[in-house]
Amino acid sequence: MFDEEHSAEVVAASFAGTPDPRLREILTALVRHTHAFVKDVGLTGEEWAAGVRFLTATGHTCDDVRQEFILLSDVLGVSMLVETIGNRAVGGSTESTVEGPFHQVASPVRALGDSIDLVGDGEPCLVTGQVHDGDGGPVPGAAVDVWQADAEGFYDVQRPGEVPPRNLRGLFTADAEGRFWFRTVVPRFYPIPTDGPVGELLRAAGRHPYRAAHIHVQVSAPGVRTLTTHLFVDGSPYLDSDAVFGVKESLVREFVTVDDPRRAERHGMPNPFRHVDFPIVVRRDGGG
Ligand code: BEZ
Ligand code: FE
């Protein structure tokens, strides 16, 4: 029978007949941990009701483009934990991080060397890189999809009518040596959406909502595991307190200032400009 001492065992037993063994394992552990949590904090009826109201509001904030539950998972560090467990970096492969909610529109196809900045505000920046596999061989023709916030910390979808659609997004095809390069502006740090229940949670906890400045990069190619990661701007505020725990030290790169008119001209950049190089190592399918 159900009592305080045996609550978890009794409820877990009710799931013992779940035919799918993995679902059974998950439900059993969910019951065990939830009951331990309620006992640990001595959850009151009022607190339970506040939790239900919070989750209900979280659901009501979701629509076709906004996913407040994922944002909740993000600020609780659960998204990054799942991402990190599912993509443990092996053999020097590039570490992954969260995809985030702003990859909601497809990036326009761009040629190597193109600019993804359709506005012209911000510090001009050249991004270069090369995609390798774990054995050190190049990945020719890898698809390199990039998207980023602008110099004021906004994605194009947050400024409809103000900036051209697809600003600061591009889908590049690496050359025969796996190399890619494009022109952009240095992104700024920005706050995650705070006008919903997750924002309320952060305010109640005295936590800031900011993400360190970054460029999103997703690399795919036949026969390799798709890599979803970020390139973080060294020196950005919030590298040590990113609101969604997305920063990994190996992904932080110096955006070097280049003052060299001839190099600038060669790359179609104004002088001076910032330059960052991001070598990327992906894993072959089935390789570790
Ligand atoms: C982003 O980097 O675009 C992002 C990630 C998680 C939550 C909000 C934004
Ligand atoms: Fe982002």
Side-chain angles (χ1 to χ4, degrees), residues 262-282:
R262 270 197 301 203
R263 259 185 87 189
E265 198 186 334
R266 199 154 17 112
H267 294 292
M269 301 293 296
N271 191 61
F273 65 96
R274 305 276 293 274
H275 174 223
V276 61
D277 189 55
F278 191 39
I280 293 173
V281 180
V282 290

Side-chain angles (χ1 to χ4, degrees), residues 199-243:
E200 238 174 87
L201 174 70
L202 293 181
R203 282 187 289 279
R207 271 179 59 180
H208 74 72
Y210 290 99
R211 296 222 57 209
H214 58 272
I215 299 176
H216 293 260
V217 182
Q218 191 169 67
V219 180
S220 53
V224 306
R225 281 176 74 141
T226 296
L227 170 74
T228 302
T229 193
H230 294 3
L231 167 56
F232 285 98
V233 182
D234 195 13
S236 166
Y238 309 113
L239 281 171
D240 57 357
S241 64
D242 186 73

Side-chain angles (χ1 to χ4, degrees), residues 71 74 98-102 155 190 192-193 211 214 216 230 244:
L71 200 61
D74 292 342
V98 283
E99 182 167 349
F102 294 113
Y155 286 86
Y190 64 84
I192 62 170
R211 296 222 57 209
H214 58 272
H216 293 260
H230 294 3
V244 305

